[in-house]
Amino acid sequence: MRSDTAATAARLPLLDAAKGLACAVIVGHHLARYGPLPAGASSLAPGLFEWLAQDGRLAVQVFLVLAGFLAAGSLAPDGVLRVDRPLVRVFQRYGRLAMPYLAALSFSVLVAALVRPWLDDEAVPAAPGIAQLLAHGLLLQDLLGYDALSTGVWYVAIDFQLFVLALAAISFSELLQRRWSLRPERSRWLAVALVLVLAVASLAVFNRNEELDDTALYFFGAYGLGMGVFWIGRATRLRTWQFGIALLLMVGAAALALDWRSRIATALVTALLLAVVQRRAGPEPAAWPPLAQPLLRLGRISYSLFLIHFPVLLLVSAAFNRFAPDGPWVDLIGLLATFALSIVAAMLLYRWVESRPATWRAVLALFAGLLVCGAVASS
């Protein structure tokens, strides 16, 4: 959900628009599922609420494809690794993901402690233990079997795993290139081929095993499609671009023929649309109609919005549950207020944390803040 390459995002403003729309759907998915408010509000638009609750989660596939697209542009835009020190790059990625994540998680832990006496709902996380806090801070909570302290934190951990896996695959191709003494024009295809093999393995095997959904292997199919789209877009010859699109379509269609999965269909459609957009870049953001401008701005703060909306939902749900009268329209107002306040909170999180350079001092300070907030919430 966070852009890795500012130049690519600037050249393709539709990336921000796609992120903004997908994030709005994911937030809507959570608003339709968690807390007491959707139970009453859903009677006003049962079809919409049912769709959001059941299928809104598919918007995550849009982020997976976009994340792979941006990762390819950041790590190996020409199929050749542009990272001198891979481990440092991994730490940098963790820092960029972790700073707003740790800040939002600290807020969520405090909010859960505040509303727990008022809101008797399974959506409210239990008071955390020190091991649970450490696991969340290190993005290992799902792998170690700890309950989530906020909704959607699994995605942050998966995003980090996917980046590391992609970097490992491209780095391995560099090792093979040196060992086999391949010429530069051939070595770049080796990285593409390794990523394609990983994506096919994910689509055909790993993504069909629900026990692997805590690992990057489960999601690399969608991520790999995004990486492939970036490299296809670098083709200078139309025939090469057409071959790449045909290969992309063939891989996706074969995966769906093997086992139909709506999440993979969503990822494939996203990848194909992204390929077309990359080939035919649209107008600059300033030329977009006024109604589209908020969507672009929403896309820029989408990561912060994704992280912060759940504690805002807990706060609003507790307040309405305790002080507001019962009624579907009141519940709907509560959900709309949650969405609006979440955007305000996301703007603040983006300005104060996400947009600032990631430094180890800042990361360690925020990590310590999470432990302190956990201790306060558990006392």
Side-chain angles (χ1 to χ4, degrees):
M1 296 184 185
R2 182 180 176 86
S3 174
D4 281 345
T5 49
T8 301
R11 188 169 59 86
L12 292 174
L14 274 172
L15 293 185
D16 277 334
K19 288 192 294 182
L21 181 59
C23 189
V25 173
I26 291 173
V27 172
H29 170 65
H30 293 154
L31 296 186
R33 285 178 59 91
Y34 299 117
L37 297 178
S42 61
S43 63
L44 299 174
L48 174 61
F49 274 82
E50 182 179 1
W51 179 83
L52 285 172
Q54 297 299 323
D55 298 324
R57 58 188 171 82
L58 293 176
V60 169
Q61 301 300 319
V62 176
F63 283 115
L64 290 170
V65 173
L66 293 180
F69 179 89
L70 294 170
S74 173
L75 294 174
D78 297 312
V80 179
L81 188 66
R82 287 192 178 179
V83 177
D84 295 330
R85 296 179 294 174
L87 287 180
V88 173
R89 189 67 179 87
V90 169
F91 294 148
Q92 290 173 343
R93 180 60 180 169
Y94 170 79
R96 282 197 292 271
L97 286 173
M99 282 182 56
Y101 164 80
L102 292 170
L105 204 56
S106 298
F107 181 59
S108 184
V109 167
L110 292 177
V111 167
L114 177 65
V115 306
R116 204 169 288 122
W118 293 358
L119 188 61
D120 183 16
D121 192 277
E122 61 181 7
V124 182
I130 183 64
Q132 186 179 15
L133 291 166
L134 289 171
H136 274 75
L138 297 173
L139 303 178
L140 297 173
Q141 67 276 1
D142 295 312
L143 292 176
L144 297 179
Y146 288 103
D147 292 334
L149 295 175
S150 181
T151 189
V153 294
W154 67 269
Y155 178 87
V156 184
I158 290 298
D159 183 286
F160 181 64
Q161 288 185 39
L162 287 166
F163 183 86
V164 173
L165 183 57
L167 177 57
I170 298 172
S171 298
F172 183 62
S173 74
E174 295 291 304
L175 292 175
L176 293 179
Q177 180 263 331
R178 287 195 292 267
R179 182 172 181 177
W180 296 341
S181 300
L182 295 178
R183 289 179 294 179
E185 62 271 17
R186 291 188 177 182
S187 64
R188 65 171 57 99
W189 289 107
L190 183 58
V192 175
L194 284 177
V195 168
L196 178 62
V197 168
L198 267 177
V200 170
S202 175
L203 293 170
V205 181
F206 304 129
N207 188 257
R208 299 169 63 202
N209 186 350
E210 297 292 338
E211 294 181 357
L212 295 176
D213 64 358
D214 293 333
T215 71
L217 293 173
Y218 184 86
F219 295 96
F220 197 83
Y223 197 82
L225 290 177
M227 295 183 72
V229 166
F230 183 90
W231 288 323
I232 290 170
R234 303 282 286 184
T236 55
R237 296 180 179 178
L238 179 60
R239 288 185 178 180
T240 305
W241 183 84
Q242 291 174 336
F243 173 79
I245 295 299
L247 181 61
L248 192 77
L249 183 59
M250 182 178 66
V251 168
L256 293 174
L258 178 65
D259 183 2
W260 173 266
R261 288 148 288 173
S262 55
R263 58 185 180 272
I264 300 303
T266 303
L268 179 61
V269 171
T270 302
L272 292 173
L273 290 176
L274 182 57
V276 174
V277 169
Q278 187 185 23
R279 191 73 177 180
R280 302 176 180 178
E284 292 299 316
W288 283 47
L291 291 178
Q293 297 300 325
L295 193 60
L296 292 172
R297 290 192 288 269
L298 189 65
R300 297 187 190 105
I301 64 168
S302 59
Y303 183 51
S304 289
L305 178 58
F306 178 80
L307 293 171
I308 204 68
H309 74 275
F310 183 69
V312 175
L313 173 62
L314 292 181
L315 275 175
V316 175
S317 296
F320 271 68
N321 189 59
R322 184 173 178 85
F323 301 112
D326 293 331
W329 285 103
V330 174
D331 292 341
L332 180 61
I333 291 172
L335 292 176
L336 294 176
T338 298
F339 190 81
L341 291 173
S342 295
I343 292 177
V344 174
M347 293 171 62
L348 296 176
L349 181 61
Y350 178 84
R351 179 177 179 180
W352 292 345
V353 182
E354 185 185 354
S355 62
R356 298 195 175 188
T359 64
W360 279 113
R361 180 176 296 181
V363 171
L364 291 175
L366 289 167
F367 204 132
L370 174 62
L371 298 180
V372 170
C373 291
V376 171
S378 301
S379 60

